[in-house]
């Protein structure tokens, strides 16, 4: 049976069990002692009067052992959920320190500090990875012509080998796929452009996005591990229609703007696909759905999180447009592809108008 004492004081008791021969005693290590009148019986789930009838505490009937109640945590005998574990993890704690330290050093209001931090991290981390991703995609696209030539050559060699060894049609297909896969892998190794490397941006950007979001959530709800410079903190760090960054955006301006910008990024990415496959179409539709789902989610979280999400999407849109610039691609030595254009922004606008407006 576990006793949960409800008092106004925060108390913690560690009960140590000591064995001396055949005698077992309890040595309570009491950090604070308070008097109470009731306890929670976890077996019967009922509140009962608390009386010290244990012979181990004979002569101290006025002493009550109480369990410390944290002011912002819910006491439970179960293990914390995965969400709570991630929110209390070391990366989130370090992110909170980064946010608070940046705001204190710059002296900017919280809304400006969040936007500047987003711009700095996206430019210093995700933009180089975006350039690397474009290089890998361009190399893979350039290899498609060579792969097609080798596939045709292999298509003629397999029937000749099949006649020599008496292979069936099924065996011919197996050897064709096996050798083609080997040839493609060798080409990827030769040009150092395995397609999996293009996903490095996602594996870095997604954890960074999660850590920043949870850190802002903890600071907004007063559950952060790092003390703020002022007691008001994010409650007075907003601007315009969102003066309180700890409350959701009741006007829905930021959530709707977030959804529209994410959809715009998705469409710009889809316009680069000249002949999209079924898988690419499914991925594009999935991202469109996520962009729409994020609108009501952003309307229920603190404005600090919505502001970060909106700022991150705006910076991502700017980076996507920058990576379409022929001059910038030349400076970064990104190989040319079939989808490249001398006037990319005019082409995007014309294609967008022709596809969605006319």
């Amino acid at each position: 049976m576990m006793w949960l004492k409800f008092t106004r004081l925060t108390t913690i008791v560690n009960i140590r069990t000591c064995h001396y021969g055949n005698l077992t005693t309890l040595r309570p290590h009491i950090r604070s002692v308070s008097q109470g009148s009731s306890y929670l019986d976890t077996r019967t789930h009922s509140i009962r009067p608390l009386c010290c009838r244990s012979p181990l505490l004979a002569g101290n009937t006025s002493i009550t052992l109480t369990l410390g109640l944290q002011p912002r945590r819910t006491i439970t005998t179960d293990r914390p959920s995965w969400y709570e574990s991630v929110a209390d993890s070391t990366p989130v704690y370090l992110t909170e320190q980064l946010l608070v330290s940046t705001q204190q050093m710059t002296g900017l209001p919280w809304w400006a500090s969040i936007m500047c931090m987003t711009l700095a991290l996206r430019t210093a981390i995700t933009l180089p990875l975006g350039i690397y991703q474009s290089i890998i995609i361009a190399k893979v696209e350039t290899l498609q012509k060579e792969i097609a030539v080798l596939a045709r050559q292999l298509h003629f060699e397999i029937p000749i080998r099949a006649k020599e060894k008496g292979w069936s049609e099924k065996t011919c297909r197996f050897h064709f796929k096996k050798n083609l896969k080997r040839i493609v892998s060798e080409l990827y190794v030769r040009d150092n452009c395995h397609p999996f490397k293009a996903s490095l941006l996602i594996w870095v950007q997604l954890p960074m996005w999660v850590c920043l979001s949870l850190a802002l959530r903890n600071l907004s709800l007063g559950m952060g591990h790092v003390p703020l410079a002022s007691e008001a903190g994010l409650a007075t760090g907003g601007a315009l229609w969102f003066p309180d960054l700890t409350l959701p955006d009741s006007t829905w301006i930021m959530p709707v703007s977030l959804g529209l910008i994410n959809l715009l990024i998705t469409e710009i990415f889809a316009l680069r696909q000249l002949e999209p496959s079924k898988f690419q179409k499914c991925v594009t539709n999935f991202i469109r759905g996520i962009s729409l789902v994020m609108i009501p989610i952003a309307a229920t979280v603190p404005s600090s999180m919505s502001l970060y999400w909106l700022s991150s999407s705006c910076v991502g849109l700017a980076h996507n447009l920058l990576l379409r610039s022929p001059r910038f691609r030349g400076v970064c030595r990104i190989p040319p592809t079939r989808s490249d254009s001398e006037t990319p922004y005019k082409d995007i606008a014309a294609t967008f108008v022709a596809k969605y407006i006319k």
Side-chain angles (χ1 to χ4, degrees):
M1 180 178 68
M2 180 177 180
W3 288 3
L4 298 182
K5 177 68 176 60
F6 298 95
T7 66
R8 296 181 181 178
L9 296 177
T10 301
T11 57
I12 300 176
V13 177
N14 297 326
I15 299 180
R16 302 174 182 175
T17 305
C18 303
H19 297 269
Y20 296 96
N22 296 326
L23 179 62
T24 301
T25 61
L26 296 179
R27 297 175 57 188
H29 180 66
I30 305 173
R31 292 176 55 181
S32 66
V33 179
S34 63
Q35 293 185 348
S37 59
S38 62
Y39 71 94
L40 174 62
D41 189 342
T42 57
R43 291 186 300 181
T44 61
H45 303 284
S46 61
I47 303 297
R48 295 184 178 181
L50 180 62
C51 298
C52 182
R53 299 181 181 276
S54 173
L56 297 173
L57 301 177
N60 298 284
T61 57
S62 62
I63 294 180
T64 302
L65 302 183
T66 61
L67 185 66
L69 302 180
Q70 299 295 331
R72 294 190 302 266
R73 305 292 185 186
T74 302
I75 289 183
T76 176
T77 57
D78 300 330
R79 292 183 178 180
S81 63
W82 65 269
Y83 180 82
E84 294 175 350
S85 300
V86 174
D88 292 335
S89 62
T90 302
V92 176
Y93 167 71
L94 295 177
T95 307
E96 291 176 14
Q97 284 188 322
L98 177 63
L99 288 169
V100 175
S101 299
T102 302
Q103 195 274 333
Q104 292 176 354
M105 287 188 297
T106 59
L108 295 172
W110 268 104
W111 66 270
S113 178
I114 292 173
M115 296 179 67
C116 291
M117 175 66 68
T118 304
L119 177 62
L121 290 177
R122 290 297 301 262
T123 303
I125 298 177
T126 60
L127 180 58
L129 291 177
I131 296 172
Y132 180 72
Q133 182 186 57
S134 299
I135 293 174
I136 297 297
I137 293 175
K139 287 183 177 181
V140 171
E141 187 174 337
T142 303
L143 281 177
Q144 297 308 309
K145 293 182 180 180
E146 187 175 355
I147 291 173
V149 173
L150 294 175
R152 285 195 297 268
Q153 182 179 352
L154 184 64
H155 183 72
F156 288 113
E157 292 179 356
I158 289 295
I160 298 175
R161 185 63 61 88
K163 290 180 181 179
E164 295 177 355
K165 306 231 174 179
W167 291 344
S168 63
E169 183 178 356
K170 183 178 180 181
T171 305
C172 289
R173 288 198 301 268
F174 170 76
H175 284 283
F176 176 80
K177 293 180 180 179
K178 178 182 178 181
N179 285 277
L180 183 60
K181 184 177 180 180
R182 176 183 56 81
I183 292 172
V184 171
S185 298
E186 291 176 354
L187 292 176
Y188 287 158
V189 172
R190 185 195 69 185
D191 292 354
N192 192 22
C193 62
H194 195 282
F196 181 78
K197 294 182 179 180
S199 65
L200 181 61
L201 174 62
I202 299 176
W203 296 111
V204 174
Q205 182 176 347
L206 186 59
M208 184 176 69
W209 184 85
V210 171
C211 288
L212 280 167
S213 299
L214 292 179
L216 288 171
R217 171 252 187 192
N218 290 346
L219 294 175
S220 300
L221 300 181
M223 302 175 65
H225 306 82
V226 182
L228 301 180
S230 62
E231 295 182 359
L234 282 86
T236 58
L240 301 177
W241 68 90
F242 54 97
D244 190 348
L245 291 176
T246 63
L247 299 177
D249 183 7
S250 59
T251 63
W252 283 60
I253 294 178
M254 285 194 291
V256 173
S257 301
L258 172 66
L260 293 177
I261 292 177
N262 286 338
L263 286 174
L264 183 58
I265 294 174
T266 305
E267 298 310 316
I268 291 176
F269 180 78
L271 293 176
R272 295 185 60 183
Q273 302 171 356
L274 301 179
E275 297 176 358
S277 61
K278 290 184 178 180
F279 176 76
Q280 290 175 331
K281 291 180 180 179
C282 292
V283 171
T284 301
N285 291 329
F286 175 76
I287 297 176
R288 288 170 180 160
I290 293 296
S291 301
L292 295 175
V293 171
M294 286 298 295
I295 296 177
I297 294 177
T300 57
V301 299
S303 297
S304 59
M305 296 177 64
S306 300
L307 179 62
Y308 163 64
W309 293 350
L310 180 59
S311 302
S312 180
S313 296
C314 290
V315 176
L317 176 61
H319 288 173
N320 275 276
L321 294 176
L322 182 63
L323 289 171
R324 298 294 296 272
S325 171
R327 183 174 300 178
F328 184 78
R329 293 175 69 89
V331 171
C332 298
R333 298 182 180 181
I334 300 176
T337 61
R338 290 186 305 164
S339 60
D340 287 350
S341 172
E342 294 297 328
T343 58
Y345 307 123
K346 291 182 179 179
D347 295 343
I348 290 175
T351 307
F352 190 84
V353 170
K355 185 175 181 180
Y356 298 103
I357 298 179
K358 290 185 177 180

